[in-house]
Amino acid sequence: MEQRIGSSSQPLEGAGFDPAFIPGLTSPVSGRTEEDGPEKEPEVADAEEAPEAAAGPEETAGASPSEPEEDTEADTDGPVFEASDRRARMIADHRGVRMSLDDQECEFRWDEIGAVETETARFGKRYTVTVHTPDRRWYPIEIEAPARSHFKEWDAQLDAVLDAYFEEEEKEEEAAG
């Protein structure tokens, strides 16, 4: 039997590779800014409906920021872990674990997390935190510490957060089950 070196699959073309390949799937970018306001319609009926429609989103936008504030006020007394360097940032608090690297971000609620693992480099100042999910996926982030002495401090802070929130979720599930 002959074996070929390299891939036998062809490169993806079309919609599988570029969603913009299908006309109408992605909306065109408008040149308007938020300061410009909604577009003006020439018809009188549309002009009368536009202020009413604009008032609706403002009311809902005013109500939605108040909900997270109430949630944060209730649990701000608990422990918080925060570590960052010039590119990476990680925050663990009552809401869950949030990680960001450059312009990419991800957020995990406590019920989405199966395990949290920390690891330090033998040499250097890299502190790695890996979030494992129940569906056998893992998401690592490496943070460069200012000094190796921060590793113990960060471990203690992260352990306090995990003890306060991660274990709490398991106890609630056992009580309910």
Side-chain angles (χ1 to χ4, degrees):
M1 177 181 252
E2 294 181 24
Q3 292 184 347
R4 293 185 178 178
I5 298 174
S7 176
S8 62
S9 65
Q10 298 297 323
L12 296 175
E13 294 180 11
F17 182 71
D18 184 13
F21 185 78
I22 300 174
L25 185 62
T26 58
S27 62
V29 178
S30 74
R32 293 186 307 136
T33 62
E34 292 179 11
E35 296 173 0
D36 294 342
E39 292 180 82
K40 304 287 183 186
E41 297 287 331
E43 298 178 14
V44 175
D46 289 339
E48 291 176 359
E49 291 176 5
E52 293 174 5
E58 290 173 4
E59 292 171 5
T60 57
S64 60
S66 65
E67 292 172 7
E69 288 175 9
E70 292 173 5
D71 188 29
T72 55
E73 288 174 7
D75 290 333
T76 54
D77 295 338
V80 175
F81 169 73
E82 186 171 350
S84 63
D85 66 3
R86 59 187 166 80
R87 294 183 60 202
R89 178 184 180 117
M90 180 185 164
I91 301 171
D93 57 10
H94 68 280
R95 291 174 36 197
V97 176
R98 293 178 303 283
M99 300 187 298
S100 63
L101 179 66
D102 295 332
D103 63 341
Q104 303 296 313
E105 296 181 4
C106 62
E107 181 173 351
F108 302 96
R109 295 184 319 265
W110 289 113
D111 60 343
E112 297 175 323
I113 297 174
V116 177
E117 176 185 8
T118 61
E119 184 179 352
T120 58
R122 185 171 179 192
F123 303 107
K125 300 182 284 188
R126 281 179 301 169
Y127 184 75
T128 305
V129 179
T130 306
V131 174
H132 296 270
T133 59
D135 58 348
R136 297 186 180 175
R137 295 190 183 271
W138 61 92
Y139 301 90
I141 188 164
E142 288 186 345
I143 300 171
E144 189 173 334
R148 289 187 60 88
S149 61
H150 282 73
F151 292 161
K152 290 182 183 178
E153 177 185 331
W154 285 352
D155 274 335
Q157 289 176 357
L158 186 58
D159 284 342
V161 170
L162 292 175
D163 289 344
Y165 303 114
F166 188 62
E167 300 296 328
E168 183 177 295
E169 295 291 329
E170 291 178 1
K171 290 177 186 175
E172 289 176 5
E173 289 175 7
E174 289 174 5

